[in-house]
Amino acid sequence: MLLKYFYDEKLAQASYMVGCQATGEALVVDPSRDIQAYLDTAKKENLTITRVTETHIHADFVSGAKELATETGAIAMLSGEGGNDWTYQFLDQINHEIVRDGDQFMVGNVKIEVMHTPGHTPESISFVLYDRGQDTPMGVFTGDFVFVGDVGRPDLLEKAAGQKDTSRVGAKQMFESLKRFKQLPDHMQVWPGHGAGSACGKALGAIPSSTVGYEKVTNWALRHDEEEAFINELISEQPEPPKYFAVMKKVNKVGPALIRELGEPKNTLLSADELTKELENGMQLIDTRPASEFAKEHIAGTINIPNNKSFANWAGWLVDYDKPVYLIADEQNIEDLTKSLRSIGADDVAGYMETAAIAGLKGEGIATESYEVATPDQLKDKIANEEVTLIDVRNEGEWNDGHIPQAQHIMLGYLQERIDEVPTDKPVVLQCQSGGRSAMATSILQANGIKNVTNMAGGFGAWSKEDLPQTK
């Protein structure tokens, strides 16, 4: 048997290939939208992908199940649990089989058993793996059910998808599902769908896999025996779900477009006058350079989302899905950036301009601007004397753990829709934990006409190291 692990660092998302080398058949579990790695691995290992599965209708990335089933002709093994509201709507477009609790299917000599594990979502299933002829299971693909050190959050349907009063229902289901998990043999491997950095839980570990026995001992959720206490702890202090999660639920239920149906972004060469008019008319132009470069000089009206491991996450918060996306980026990064955007359902990546074009546009007279970056030591007196408005853009948990007394809290992901809450009678200072998120926030304020802005270098972390005032 072959077991291959794939991991997308930008989404903290794991997928897997199980291959039976005796028969040359393979299964892919929870594929991402970019399926090339699975095709390449199958070819390298002389395997044919005959089945595709997913553990649930994902909220945090565009599933590749439809893409991979279409490309290979593989049978998609999809959940029939959860009721009519959780029925896949693209089944007529692919080869498929609906599976429910207790169902079994084979991948060559490898047996897979379906285990209904609701809690994170109603239709959530896990896949228990038995190697060649064994009666004892080897491991379980848990998706967003059990992570290393955590379990899937039950509040996404309520917070992201707007389904009222579902958080406690999901938490109760999770408690019951965990009772079944605890009955599994301790030796079984646990292969989760996410690692640290995912917003699908609040305390995910960075280790890629675990065992049932180890999770029973160390996972906070599995140590609970009292239902109400478990529900309260599971629901409390979950991170804010990115706004794009609601979009993903719909896309993955209805069925995403195939990649080949999407056009490729084109190098968009506009004059300074043309670009200025487009920006005035609402063009969505994302500058992907590092914040330090953007701060020194950038085209007025652009928003900065740096091209790093957090790009997809923050693009999901900040990009307007109803508008085409244009990028400022070096040409060699366009393919990767496009994949990142489309991995979260921002499919309309219409065009780009290279970073070198900024100098030429400036020469044509396009408006550029910059913003100041200042240390806590340089800002402390102005903040204490309330000569500036301080906006803390961290998440709620960080804010509750400690913040600067004079700060106003607007989490970065909600800043654009709450822009009217930012006072403009004083200079505005933006602050996060280390300076990265507040840099994006600074660009958002400038793009929305609030020009007298400063980013706090080092953020609350640097403020705390200097032992400056804070409160809870």
Side-chain angles (χ1 to χ4, degrees):
M1 187 188 76
L2 175 141
L3 177 60
K4 178 72 174 178
Y5 171 73
F6 304 85
Y7 194 70
D8 183 337
E9 289 189 348
K10 291 184 177 180
L11 296 170
Q13 181 251 330
S15 54
Y16 304 85
M17 178 181 288
V18 178
C20 176
Q21 292 161 313
T23 65
E25 299 171 67
L27 159 76
V28 179
V29 181
D30 282 335
S32 61
R33 194 177 196 183
D34 182 4
I35 64 171
Q36 193 58 49
Y38 314 119
L39 300 176
D40 291 345
T41 299
K43 182 177 180 180
K44 178 182 177 182
E45 301 293 340
N46 294 316
L47 297 171
T48 299
I49 298 173
T50 57
R51 295 186 187 268
V52 180
T53 68
E54 61 180 39
T55 51
H56 63 294
I57 299 174
H58 299 285
D60 54 318
F61 68 97
V62 178
S63 168
K66 177 185 173 185
E67 187 88 22
L68 194 55
T70 301
E71 179 69 23
T72 64
I75 301 171
M77 316 299 291
L78 300 174
S79 176
E81 300 285 2
N84 291 335
D85 289 342
W86 300 99
T87 301
Y88 291 88
Q89 296 178 8
F90 57 90
L91 298 180
D92 60 333
Q93 301 172 41
I94 57 172
N95 294 326
H96 68 277
E97 290 183 18
I98 297 301
V99 294
R100 296 179 174 84
D101 188 57
D103 286 348
Q104 298 179 355
F105 59 91
M106 302 296 293
V107 182
N109 296 318
V110 177
K111 183 172 73 175
I112 304 293
E113 182 175 350
V114 179
M115 181 178 175
H116 184 211
T117 50
H120 177 64
T121 60
E123 83 289 356
S124 173
I125 53 178
S126 298
F127 296 101
V128 180
L129 183 149
Y130 296 78
D131 197 9
R132 176 195 299 262
Q134 298 294 323
D135 294 327
T136 299
M138 173 185 290
V140 56
F141 299 101
T142 54
D144 291 13
F145 167 40
V146 174
F147 302 119
V148 177
D150 202 1
V151 295
R153 59 191 296 180
D155 60 322
L156 286 179
L157 298 181
E158 186 164 342
K159 291 181 178 177
Q163 297 193 11
K164 293 183 178 180
D165 304 321
T166 55
S167 295
R168 289 189 64 83
V169 173
K172 288 174 70 70
Q173 291 175 334
M174 179 64 75
F175 188 75
E176 294 302 316
S177 293
L178 289 174
K179 288 182 182 178
R180 293 188 67 186
F181 181 86
K182 292 176 184 179
Q183 299 305 309
L184 297 174
D186 285 355
H187 71 267
M188 283 179 63
Q189 294 283 311
V190 175
W191 300 300
H194 292 287
S198 169
C200 290
K202 59 182 175 180
L204 281 72
I207 299 170
S209 64
S210 184
T211 65
V212 171
Y214 187 77
E215 291 307 304
K216 288 180 187 178
V217 173
T218 62
N219 190 317
W220 70 268
L222 275 74
R223 296 201 300 269
H224 270 286
D225 294 319
E226 203 280 314
E227 183 180 65
E228 191 63 24
F230 168 80
I231 290 172
N232 291 335
E233 185 169 355
L234 179 59
I235 292 175
S236 68
E237 298 185 0
Q238 290 287 357
E240 294 89 343
K243 287 185 287 189
Y244 78 91
F245 276 24
V247 178
M248 292 302 89
K249 273 291 182 186
K250 181 178 179 181
V251 165
N252 286 322
K253 180 179 176 180
V254 173
L258 300 174
I259 294 296
R260 64 172 178 254
E261 297 172 350
L262 305 175
E264 292 304 313
K266 294 179 171 55
N267 193 331
T268 307
L269 297 174
L270 297 177
S271 68
D273 287 342
E274 290 170 333
L275 182 55
T276 299
K277 289 178 182 176
E278 290 291 339
L279 289 167
E280 290 173 350
N281 290 328
M283 180 187 194
Q284 183 169 219
L285 182 56
I286 309 297
D287 191 328
T288 67
R289 294 177 300 156
S292 57
E293 294 182 25
F294 185 90
K296 291 176 183 176
E297 187 172 43
H298 55 270
I299 296 171
T302 59
I303 289 176
N304 184 213
I305 308 178
N307 180 18
N308 55 34
K309 288 199 299 185
S310 299
F311 176 80
N313 175 66
W314 287 114
W317 274 104
L318 304 177
V319 162
D320 185 342
Y321 277 64
D322 294 327
K323 291 182 178 180
V325 180
Y326 293 85
L327 301 170
I328 296 177
D330 292 329
E331 188 170 10
Q332 66 265 28
N333 295 326
I334 293 300
E335 182 179 357
D336 184 58
L337 288 164
T338 301
K339 286 180 180 178
S340 291
L341 288 166
R342 289 175 174 169
S343 75
I344 57 167
D347 286 356
D348 192 2
V349 187
Y352 68 93
M353 65 178 65
E354 296 191 61
T355 57
I358 296 174
L361 290 165
K362 184 183 176 184
E364 293 179 28
I366 200 165
T368 61
E369 56 192 4
S370 61
Y371 63 77
E372 292 185 1
V373 179
T375 65
D377 186 62
Q378 293 170 322
L379 293 168
K380 63 183 180 182
D381 291 338
K382 292 180 179 179
I383 292 172
N385 296 329
E386 298 187 352
E387 297 171 19
V388 297
T389 295
L390 177 63
I391 306 294
D392 185 330
V393 299
R394 296 176 301 159
N395 64 40
E396 186 175 0
E398 292 171 303
W399 168 266
N400 291 337
D401 286 342
H403 55 267
I404 300 170
Q406 293 82 2
Q408 176 182 344
H409 183 226
I410 305 177
M411 188 265 186
L412 171 59
Y414 302 117
L415 183 59
Q416 293 189 100
E417 63 195 60
R418 296 176 59 186
I419 203 82
D420 291 341
E421 298 177 31
V422 179
T424 56
D425 57 330
K426 303 174 186 177
V428 180
V429 174
L430 285 302
Q431 163 256 310
C432 64
Q433 187 64 28
S434 62
R437 283 171 287 175
S438 53
M440 287 184 274
T442 304
S443 78
I444 290 170
L445 291 194
Q446 283 196 320
N448 283 274
I450 302 174
K451 302 298 185 181
N452 194 355
V453 290
T454 299
N455 183 29
M456 183 186 290
F460 188 72
W463 182 276
S464 299
K465 285 182 180 178
E466 295 189 23
D467 201 26
L468 294 169
Q470 56 182 276
T471 188
K472 290 188 178 181

